[in-house]
Amino acid sequence: MQRAAERDQQNRRERRAKGRGRVLVCAAAVPVVLLAAGCSSGSDSGSGDSGSKSSGSGGTSSSAGGDATPTVQAAAYKKLPDSCAVLSKKTLTSLVPKGVKAGKAGTSSDTATRASCSWSSLDNNGVKGSQFRWLNVSLLRFDSDATRGEGDQLAHAYFSKQVKEAQAVEGAKNTKTTTVAATGDEATLVSYDLKKKEGAFKQQTVVTRVENVVVTLDYNGAGLAGEKTPSAATLAKLAEQAAKEAVATVSAANGEGTAPAASASPSKSASKSPSASPSKSSSASPSASASKKS
């Protein structure tokens, strides 16, 4: 009995010892689990950072792409000639014989962008009446603009607008439109008759584009107080010749070709002869780039 009790007691001690061993083993395993969990968490965090950097890089690239501004080719012509010297004395004498020295420059805040000059001629023949002539040359230059387009394209659009305006003058009769050859990059002549209180006027409007510059030449004539009405064909021929010369002067001012002989200096005041400016196309409207720009 005694031995049996001793064996039972010994067995109990062994069971308690084994239980403590298992507790120690479990206790020793806890830090390993925590360490593993810590490494796993660190790895996940690193992966997140990498993803974040990748996303940030993509955003920068997109932003860089969005900042890229479109570019346009620079306009060919950078300046305009003196508007009142755009035609030679010889040419002015044939168009406005009594007004060669009566040129009047138009008002402009930027003569490198837009300019104009007009002449009036009244040849008084006493009781037979008078021959009246009026000439106006307007120059408008367009710069290239990244948001609006290249200078020559903007000039072409304005050229087309000027032709349409000349064709739509109120009260015009017998309107004819013809293409003018060998004058700039494109040129159109619009001719019509216009009845005014002073007499019957023969209007000739030549609109020309050379590179990024538009030249609008308005020329008209009338026989007043009983004088004979001038020939429209003759006026048209003179207007076309003058337009060719004006284009040559614009090109020469920008280093291309040779300018015609200088005309007489303009006067400060215009002649008080009857004004005949029937076409809206005679006044050039500046472009948006020239306002800031035109």
Side-chain angles (χ1 to χ4, degrees), residues 29 32 40 60 71 79 84 107 111 157 168 170-171 191 199 217 225 227 235 277 286:
V32 176
S40 175
T60 302
T71 57
K79 59 183 179 179
C84 288
T107 302
T111 55
E170 185 178 356
S191 303
L217 185 145
E227 256 282 18
L235 296 181
S277 176

Side-chain angles (χ1 to χ4, degrees), residues 180-200:
V180 181
T183 305
D185 294 304
E186 51 187 335
T188 299
L189 167 66
V190 180
S191 303
Y192 54 84
D193 300 335
L194 193 65
K195 184 72 174 178
K196 298 174 69 72
K197 64 180 182 179
E198 296 91 351

Side-chain angles (χ1 to χ4, degrees), residues 108-150:
S108 175
S109 59
D110 183 5
T111 55
T113 297
R114 61 173 175 172
S116 65
C117 192
S118 61
W119 297 260
S120 293
S121 173
L122 185 64
D123 188 2
N124 193 335
N125 296 316
V127 295
K128 293 183 179 180
S130 304
Q131 281 292 332
F132 174 74
R133 299 291 184 273
W134 180 80
L135 171 67
N136 185 84
V137 179
S138 297
L139 311 171
L140 185 62
R141 185 181 65 83
F142 292 82
D143 280 324
S144 295
D145 186 279
T147 59
R148 300 178 66 241
E150 296 181 358

Side-chain angles (χ1 to χ4, degrees), residues 17 19 49-50 57 60 75 78 86 101 116 132 171 181-182 187 234 246 269 274 293:
D49 291 344
S50 175
S57 174
T60 302
K78 304 298 183 184
V86 75
K101 297 181 179 180
S116 65
F132 174 74
T234 299
S269 59
K293 169 190 127 179

Side-chain angles (χ1 to χ4, degrees), residues 243-253 256-260:
K244 292 179 190 294
E245 188 172 302
V247 166
T249 304
V250 171
S251 297
E256 295 183 5
T258 305

